[in-house]
Amino acid sequence: MSLSSAEPLVEQLVAIRRHLHENPEVSGEEFETTASIRRWLTEAGIRIADYPLKTGLVAEIGGLHGGPVVAVRADIDALPIQEETGLPFASRITGRMHACGHDFHTASIIGTALLLKSREQELRGTVRFLFQPAEEKARGAQQVIASGALEGVQAVFGMHNKPDLPVGTIGIKEGPIMAAADGFEVAVEGLGTHAAVPEAGLDPIVTAAHMITALQSIVSRNVSALGSAVVSVTRLHSGTAWNVIADRAIFDGTIRTFDEDVRSRVLERFEQVVIGVAAAFGTKARVNWIDGPPAVINDQKWASQAAHTAESLGLTVVRPAPSPAGEDFAFYLKKVPGVFVFMGTSGPQEWHHPAFDVDEAALPVAASFFAELAVDAINRLSGQEGSPLPINDHMTLS
Ligand code: NI
């Protein structure tokens, strides 16, 4: 297989991507999107597997002679953002947009399925396609896992488009590539009083202000210089009037980490600081955690294989800096080894921007890469090409 084998598909993949882009659906509401994917795959004679999913679907190619099972995942959901690209195929739905390029992911992986369908007789195993809903709410991967669709899978592959990498370049690294994304909500309970008589109350605003300042010391004082973390307070609510001391303050935000030990240390310190500062001011506080996905941790062997496959297709492989954004692909990698890559799309804007776009020239690149990777992985797992791979310069452990 080569990049040119996807050339005849370009027009079709562009049409698919534009149809998805015009008709974005947010997490958990991807009904039309699912129906369209089902139609495109069925028309190509690709079998839809029977897993219980409200939205999203699973398809399979190969397995005619048994053999290992590998999975390729595409997320399919859009965002509650008003599009400002001015594209002729811009979103037709007010306040909804494919601003993270999941339309690109879906179209590319449909391309992978079409490429592999034409080679189904040669496949020495099964490629299972996970068209996953609700990535933006970090719930879809768990729904797919709960449906049983990951059972029997020996390696799992996925991507995110990367606007700052040019088309033809792919970012691959072993270890962490995207962050654990935890959310918090802190409620501070004080005692309301007249603003002129503060000694009669317990001021939750002063308490929250001290907490927020103290929380900023976690990254600087509790995380090693060689580790990394982000603690961001993004919202703060309290009070009703200029002459009343409130009885309650609430603030929330997010914590990003790349390592399980750092993650648990930061979360532990967070609670200690909140509870300790509350006690110091005579108030009470409670932390509500919104569990996000863990960090996306790539397997060394499959990262190396992905780089090898990419180079065999003539792609430029770079070692990317990990992204502090979260990605629920992490849940698959907790269960099955695999690799998550950054696909260069020469985008004008970063993820979630109202003018976000991808260069469609990346569609056949991504389609071919995952088709080739799936074939290489099946061959490797079935012992056809089981010899250890050379470790490329950019794949050295760090
Ligand atoms: Ni995304």
Side-chain angles (χ1 to χ4, degrees), residues 75 77 79 99-102 105 135-136 160-161 326-327 351-352:
D75 44 7
D77 55 330
L79 285 158
C100 203
H102 298 186
H105 301 162
E135 191 285 325
E136 297 291 357
H160 210 289
N161 67 84
E327 168 51 83
W351 304 330
H352 298 201

Side-chain angles (χ1 to χ4, degrees), residues 49-325:
D50 188 20
Y51 291 100
L53 287 169
K54 186 170 70 105
T55 53
L57 64 83
V58 179
E60 282 185 350
I61 292 175
L64 305 174
H65 320 288
V69 183
V70 302
V72 181
R73 175 271 214 164
D75 44 7
I76 66 171
D77 55 330
L79 285 158
I81 290 177
Q82 181 62 40
E83 180 158 352
E84 293 173 14
T85 60
L87 289 166
F89 54 89
S91 170
R92 292 176 178 167
I93 304 170
T94 305
R96 299 281 187 270
M97 179 191 176
H98 269 293
C100 203
H102 298 186
D103 53 339
F104 167 80
H105 301 162
T106 304
S108 299
I109 299 308
I110 288 172
T112 299
L114 297 176
L115 285 170
L116 289 174
K117 182 63 186 171
S118 66
R119 300 176 58 186
E120 190 165 28
Q121 293 297 331
E122 305 163 37
L123 275 181
R124 296 172 190 280
T126 303
V127 185
R128 191 173 291 163
F129 295 90
L130 311 174
F131 290 97
Q132 181 210 300
E135 191 285 325
E136 297 291 357
K137 287 195 173 165
R139 293 290 175 266
Q142 288 160 302
Q143 290 167 13
V144 169
I145 292 167
S147 81
L150 207 60
E151 279 163 29
V153 172
Q154 286 171 263
V156 61
F157 307 121
M159 68 164 153
H160 210 289
N161 67 84
K162 201 75 171 68
D164 60 351
L165 294 179
V167 174
T169 293
I170 183 167
I172 305 175
K173 73 182 286 292
E174 77 294 335
I177 188 161
M178 294 191 74
D182 293 298
F184 57 79
E185 185 187 78
V186 176
V188 183
E189 304 290 347
L191 181 61
T193 178
H194 195 293
V197 194
E199 72 276 16
L202 296 166
D203 191 338
I205 292 183
V206 171
T207 309
H210 277 269
M211 282 177 186
I212 292 165
T213 305
L215 289 170
Q216 295 310 308
S217 72
I218 296 175
V219 173
S220 71
R221 299 296 85 185
N222 301 121
V223 177
S224 149
L226 302 175
S228 59
V230 176
V231 177
S232 288
V233 175
T234 54
R235 201 155 45 168
L236 169 63
H237 288 297
S238 187
T240 54
W242 68 278
N243 56 356
V244 176
I245 287 176
D247 60 358
R248 194 162 199 259
I250 292 177
F251 65 88
D252 53 14
T254 186
I255 292 173
R256 305 296 165 108
T257 50
F258 292 98
D259 175 278
E260 277 300 322
D261 291 341
V262 174
R263 185 188 192 191
S264 49
R265 175 80 175 135
V266 170
L267 267 54
E268 182 193 6
R269 284 294 297 141
F270 189 98
E271 292 216 7
Q272 287 171 346
V273 167
V274 165
I275 303 304
V277 173
F281 286 86
T283 60
K284 287 200 168 58
R286 185 168 38 79
V287 182
N288 242 342
W289 290 110
I290 302 141
D291 291 334
V296 176
I297 311 283
N298 280 336
D299 178 75
Q300 156 89 36
K301 180 182 78 175
W302 291 117
S304 177
Q305 174 66 61
H308 186 74
T309 299
E311 284 173 351
S312 77
L313 288 170
L315 301 178
T316 302
V317 179
V318 297
R319 185 185 174 85
S323 164

Side-chain angles (χ1 to χ4, degrees), residues 317-396:
V317 179
V318 297
R319 185 185 174 85
S323 164
E327 168 51 83
D328 74 0
F329 192 82
F331 289 115
Y332 300 120
L333 291 177
K334 280 269 176 191
K335 302 225 168 250
V336 174
V339 63
F340 188 80
V341 305
F342 287 150
M343 188 63 62
T345 46
S346 304
Q349 298 292 345
E350 257 308 327
W351 304 330
H352 298 201
H353 190 282
F356 175 91
D357 192 16
V358 299
D359 184 336
E360 290 169 338
L363 284 165
V365 176
S368 305
F369 168 74
F370 282 100
E372 192 67 24
L373 181 59
V375 170
D376 287 350
I378 285 173
N379 287 342
R380 188 166 181 180
L381 287 165
S382 56
Q384 305 287 322
E385 291 167 17
S387 56
L389 288 161
I391 304 291
N392 300 312
D393 285 344
H394 45 262
M395 298 312 305
T396 48

